[in-house]
Amino acid sequence: MEEKQEKKRIGVYICHCGGNISDYVDVEQLRDIVSNEKNVVISKNVMFACADSNQKEMIKDIQEEQLDGIVVASCSPKLHLHTFRNVAERAGLNPYNYVQVNVREQCSWAHSDHPDQASYKAAGLIRAGIKRVSHSEALENIQIKAHKSVVIIGAGVSGMRASIDLARMGNQVFLIEKEANAGGQIAGKGKLFPTEQTGKMVVDTLMDQIRRLPNITLFTEARVAKVTGSIGNFKVDIVIQKAQDETISLQAGSILVTTGYETYTPKEGEFGFQTSPRVITLDVFDRMIRECEGKLVYDKKQVSSVAFIYCVGMRQSKGDNKYCSRTCCTSTIHSSLVMHEKFPRIRALHLYRDIRTYGKQEMLYEKSSKAGDIYLMFQEQHPPHVESSGDQMKITVKDHLTGKQELDVKVDLVVLVTGMVPRTDSNQVAELLKIPVGSDKFYNEIHPKLRPVETVINGVFLGGSCQGPKNISESVQSSLSAAAKINAIIRKETIELEPIIARIDAEKCTWCGKCQEVCEYDAIFQVETNGKLVAAVNEAVCKGCGICTPVCPYDAIDLIQYTNQEIEGMIDGFAQDVELKAREREEGAAHEEGGVMMKDFPQLWRSIMDVLDEGPKTIPQIALKLSQPAELITWHMMTMNKYFIVEPAGIDENDEYYRYQLKNKA
C-alpha cells in the first residue's frame, strides 16, 4: 500500500466543556505544549467546542489557514463526531481528516481525584490524535444502488402496519408469514384496551387496507430459507409450503424483521400447572370468557371465584427470564374487568409481586380496585403454594401488605399470568440475517435510545415484540419507526455508507482463507487477480470491525482510518514525554476566559447567590453583574438548579429568558 502524504497544517482545539474538562485538566498548558508539535499551525482553547459560535470560528480557521487536518479534544465521539465532521465539510475539508480526542470521559471525569495525572493523560491522547490525523486519508462515502423494495418477515400487526406505510410511500413490499393467516398473536385476542376492539377487528381492518394496495404482496405459509447480498441489494429466498414446496427469490433494498413473540408455557407442576385440574393460563382464560355465555364454566363446573397469579416464569432471579414482560399486569386486569362486565358476580383475587400498569393503563388498575378485586402481594422468595382442595383450589400466600400474614384462600379457578418470550424459531432467523441476540434471547438493536430499530447489519431493521415485550401500540410505533428509516434509505437511487472498512493489499495476500473464516458478516471472498487468488472485501457488507486484520499472517489487511501508520503514530504520540508545570490552585483563581476550578465553585456560587439575594434575575443579568461569560453562568445555574439551590421564577417581561431565584425564597 502506498504511504499517505503527511498533513502539514493541523488545527487543534481543546474544549473547556464549561468546566467539565478544564476544572481537572490544565487546558492552557496543554494548548501551549500542543502549539509546538510538528505541523500544528493552530492551537486554541475554547469554552464550548460544540457551540455554534465556535463552529463558525473553526470554519473560518480552516479556510483562512488552509488546514488539512483538525483535532478536537473534548467529549466522547459518540456525542459530537458527526458535529465536527460537518464543520470540516462546510469548510471544504474532507470530514475524514478530522479526529476527535476524548479528554472528558477518559481524563477529567475518570481522574477527577488526580488532576495532574488527568492532564498528563490528556496530553498523550491529544498528541496521539495529532499523529493519527497527520496520516489520515481523504475518503469518500461508498455509494451503492438500491432496490426500492422491502421484505418484511412476520405478518403480525407490526409487520402489517409497517407494510401499509412503506407501500403508501411508494415502495414494493413483500410480506412473509409462516402461518396460514396473517395477524399473529393479536388475531386470537378478544377486546383490547383502550379501543375495546377485538383482535380480529384490528387484523381485518389492516388486511382490508393491504388488499387495496397493489404494491404489497402477502405470502402465507412461507418461510425464509436463505438471505444473501447486502443493503440495497438483498436476495431473499422464501419457501412456500402448500401443496408442494415452491422456492421464490425476492430482491429487496432492505429487510424488516417483525417476527413477534410466544407466550411462556409454565413447566409441569409450576403453581400446579398440569398437575392440578383447575389451573390454566391467561390465554385459555380469555378464550373461556369469549366462548361462555350466561355463566362462566370450566370443566362442566360454574366458576364463582378466580385467582390470578402474576409473574409466572418472569422476573426470575435464578431462571432464564429475568426481565419483566411489561404487558402482563395490564392484560390480566383488563381480562378481570371484561369478566366482571360479562359475569358480574365472580370474585377476583390478584396475587402479584408488583403492579406495572404504566401510563393510561393505570386507569384499569383503579377501575379494578373499585370493582372489588382484592390484591395480595407476595415476594419471589415466598411464592404462593397451590394445591387441590375438593372441587376447589387452595392457595397459601404470605401477604406483604398485611405484614407477611399467611393467608389461605379457596377459589374455583387459578389463572397463571405468563409473559412474552422469544419465538422458538428466532435463532434460525438470527442466523440467516446475522442479527445479534441479547441475554434475554430477543433480538438486539444497536442502541435502545439512539438507534432503537437498527441492527448491526446495514439494511436489516427490527420492529415490534421480536426485540422484547411490547404492547400493541408500542409494537406498531417501533415498526413504523423502522419503516421511516427504511424509506429514508431506499427512496434514493443510491445509498451512502461510511468508508471505514477492511482493505486488502493484493501484492501481500496469498489467500490462506483465515480472514474469511473469522469474518462474522461474510464480507470477505476469494477473487483472482493477476493470475493468483487473493482476498477481496464486499464494501457494502463490511462493518469495519477489524477482526480480520490480526489473523492475516502476511499483514495484508489494513482497516481504513485504523491503519498501521495511524495506530503506530498514536502509540508514538502517547509515549512522548510530557513536561507539565505544577498547576496553581489559589483560592478564587480564575482561568483566562473567566472560568473557575472545581474547588472554587462554592465561591462562584456564593457570588451568584449574592446577586439573587437582590431578587429574581435572568442568566444574562447575572453574567453582566459578575462580569462572567453567559455560557459559564448557564452551566453553573443548571448545576445549582439540579441541587435545589436555585429554582425558576417565571419568564422576564420580554418573554425571552427565564428568571431564577434562591430556593425557598419567595
Side-chain angles (χ1 to χ4, degrees), residues 150 152 163 167 172-177 210 213-220 238 248 250:
V150 185
I152 300 179
S163 72
Q172 179 67 46
V173 181
F174 303 106
L175 186 55
I176 302 168
E177 173 56 47
I210 287 173
L213 292 166
N215 49 342
I216 299 180
T217 305
L218 171 63
F219 297 94
T220 57
I238 64 169
I248 297 177
L250 307 171

Side-chain angles (χ1 to χ4, degrees), residues 361-377:
Q361 298 160 158
E362 189 72 12
M363 293 185 295
L364 291 175
Y365 178 51
E366 182 182 2
K367 190 175 180 181
S368 167
S369 299
K370 289 180 178 178
D373 286 3
I374 297 173
Y375 287 81
L376 305 175
M377 184 179 183

Side-chain angles (χ1 to χ4, degrees), residues 142 144 228-231 234 434 456-458 497 501 519-524 537-544:
I142 299 166
I144 57 175
T228 55
S230 56
I231 183 171
F234 286 105
K434 310 292 185 187
V456 295
I457 306 301
N458 288 336
L497 303 176
I501 59 173
C519 181
E520 297 183 4
Y521 303 102
D522 296 332
I524 297 179
V537 176
N538 183 334
E539 294 183 343
V541 176
C542 181
K543 300 295 292 182

Side-chain angles (χ1 to χ4, degrees), residues 456-492:
V456 295
I457 306 301
N458 288 336
V460 177
F461 292 80
L462 302 174
S465 51
C466 64
Q467 292 178 267
K470 293 182 177 71
N471 61 30
I472 298 172
S473 175
E474 292 162 346
S475 295
V476 169
Q477 286 170 13
S478 74
S479 66
L480 293 184
S481 174
K485 285 273 187 184
I486 290 169
N487 185 66
I489 291 172
I490 66 173
R491 66 187 176 88
K492 301 176 183 178

